[in-house]
Amino acid sequence: MKAVRIHEFGGPEVLRYEDAPDPQLRKDQVLVRIRACAMNHLDIWVRKGLPGVKLPHILGSDVAGETVEVGEYVSGFQTGQRVLLAPMHFCNHCAKCVAGLQNQCREFTVLGNAVDGGNCELIAVPAVNVIPIPESSKLDFNQAASVPLVFLTAWHMLTGRAAIRPGQTVLVLGANSGVGIAGIQIAKFFQCRVITTAGDDNKMAKARELGADYVINHYQQKISEEVRRITNKEGVDIVLEHVGPATWDDSLRSLKPAGTLVTCGATTGPQVGIDLRFVYSRQLSILGSYMGTMGELHEVLKHVFSGRLKPIVDRTFTFAEARAAHEYMEKSRMFGKIVLNP
Ligand SMILES: [Zn+2]
């Protein structure tokens, strides 16, 4: 098969579109022909080098496609079904996995991180990862591939970690990012007031279309000052953070007393400062969040398949154009997902 692989870590130039061995189907797996694989910032971190990545390596976490072969031990699937994949690897038999807490499994990793991903034509995955796209759903393959990682991540952050409640005020950073797009819609789904940030007029207008009540231009306005103004100096209940150092201080300052910051990423770098006096005197909660559970994935997909939550595709590239796609993502030009096609 054809695949986008890296043989060394580095810039977009290390991406190679080349022949790779077809996956060998185990008896407990399903073989899927990949029709679309959406990009995430994780692709860039993996390309630059993360511990646990074995070379050569196939990138890509978010897969939609069709089943082509079903392993002997698998029931409930036919060939030719439209499916998307749960973008994670877990052992499926430890105490955490059987309790439904797959993202606490010791073997847990994201598809395309410590295991080969979906920037290729064929992938073999355990049946538990394979989720049929209902016939009633209007999603095409590019839209379906744009859902799993970011909608699961945002759902787990807001419901599983920050315990969102109707009527709260939520600050979602980076309206144009996949997690931002999912976070805005999920917070509105819970009847919350949503403040978000974007970098230009076009992105600000799109954020409003998604349902954001207030949009801050993070290049022209100071986020925490605008949040204070919008909330009448009260601050927000929850900050959905994934940016890191560029927004961290503003994120903490935007919280009301006993507010919750939940973070799933570090797009602008891993190190931030914390004034402990500020954290304890304002009784803040700072929570980490990593992907989510299979139960949460099925839960959020129900709302996506019914059309209440919508993925946004920015543009598509072919696998052969993966380098251009990475360069495009690194310039943050997108509003929504960048999707690669065979
Ligand atoms: Zn496990």
Side-chain angles (χ1 to χ4, degrees):
M1 67 170 177
K2 289 287 188 188
V4 181
R5 295 202 295 183
I6 53 170
H7 294 256
E8 59 187 321
F9 299 123
E13 71 281 355
V14 302
L15 298 164
R16 285 199 220 163
Y17 180 64
E18 60 187 8
D19 290 319
D22 282 359
Q24 297 295 308
L25 184 69
R26 287 195 328 239
K27 290 178 179 176
D28 64 336
Q29 289 183 322
V30 176
L31 187 67
V32 173
R33 178 166 297 283
I34 293 166
R35 299 294 187 194
C37 184
M39 285 185 66
N40 293 281
H41 258 281
L42 178 66
D43 297 289
I44 290 170
W45 296 122
V46 171
R47 193 200 71 214
K48 288 180 174 172
L50 285 181
V53 178
K54 293 187 201 77
L55 300 173
H57 178 74
I58 303 173
L59 299 164
S61 307
D62 273 329
V63 172
E66 290 159 307
T67 56
V68 287
E69 199 179 336
V70 180
E72 189 185 334
Y73 299 161
V74 177
S75 57
F77 287 98
Q78 295 98 44
T79 56
Q81 266 184 297
R82 278 160 39 89
V83 297
L84 57 78
L85 302 187
M88 50 176 128
H89 167 87
F90 49 92
C91 82
N92 209 21
H93 57 73
C94 74
K96 293 293 186 182
C97 282
V98 297
L101 302 168
Q102 291 83 7
N103 59 345
Q104 294 177 33
C105 172
R106 288 180 65 166
E107 278 189 27
F108 184 83
T109 187
V110 180
L111 196 67
N113 184 357
V115 294
D116 275 336
N119 284 357
C120 54
E121 293 174 315
L122 293 167
I123 191 167
V125 292
V128 66
N129 287 75
V130 183
I131 300 174
I133 301 168
E135 299 218 343
S136 58
S137 159
K138 307 263 191 301
L139 298 181
D140 62 27
F141 286 124
N142 290 327
Q143 291 167 322
S146 297
V147 173
L149 194 147
V150 291
F151 276 87
L152 173 59
T153 297
W155 186 264
H156 181 60
M157 290 174 84
L158 290 173
T159 69
R161 299 295 283 142
I164 191 169
R165 293 178 62 80
Q168 289 187 315
T169 302
V170 181
L171 170 62
V172 178
L173 292 166
N176 68 311
S177 67
V179 169
I181 285 168
I184 290 168
Q185 294 182 68
I186 292 166
K188 288 311 294 181
F189 180 70
F190 281 90
Q191 311 279 335
C192 289
R193 180 166 66 151
V194 175
I195 305 171
T196 189
T197 70
D200 63 50
D201 290 345
N202 183 33
K203 290 175 183 169
M204 291 172 78
K206 287 182 173 166
R208 286 191 194 94
E209 281 171 31
L210 281 179
D213 299 286
Y214 301 92
V215 188
I216 298 169
N217 184 323
H218 57 236
Y219 291 127
Q220 292 171 7
Q221 296 170 298
K222 184 151 174 60
I223 295 170
S224 53
E225 282 173 11
E226 284 302 304
V227 167
R228 273 174 65 78
R229 189 183 61 75
I230 293 163
T231 61
N232 228 341
K233 297 185 181 171
E234 193 180 25
V236 302
D237 297 280
I238 299 171
V239 176
L240 189 153
E241 166 63 59
H242 52 98
V243 181
T247 52
W248 184 259
D249 288 341
D250 272 314
S251 293
L252 280 182
R253 286 179 190 288
S254 297
L255 287 171
K256 65 166 64 163
T260 299
L261 182 155
V262 57
T263 179
C264 71
T267 311
T268 59
Q271 302 292 339
V272 295
I274 291 178
D275 184 336
L276 289 175
R277 297 165 299 183
F278 189 72
V279 173
Y280 67 67
S281 64
R282 303 201 29 107
Q283 304 190 67
L284 305 180
S285 297
I286 300 175
L287 305 179
S289 188
Y290 194 47
M291 291 278 286
T293 69
M294 284 300 298
E296 288 170 327
L297 180 59
H298 282 281
E299 195 176 14
V300 72
L301 282 176
K302 197 172 57 185
H303 303 304
V304 173
F305 289 148
S306 71
R308 286 190 289 272
L309 301 173
K310 293 185 174 67
I312 307 278
V313 178
D314 176 272
R315 62 178 284 192
T316 60
F317 292 84
T318 64
F319 283 148
E321 299 165 331
R323 178 176 175 170
H326 276 236
E327 288 166 350
Y328 180 75
M329 175 172 254
E330 288 185 300
K331 287 175 184 145
S332 277
R333 286 186 181 160
M334 65 286 179
F335 191 99
K337 300 298 280 181
I338 302 163
V339 185
L340 301 179
N341 295 146

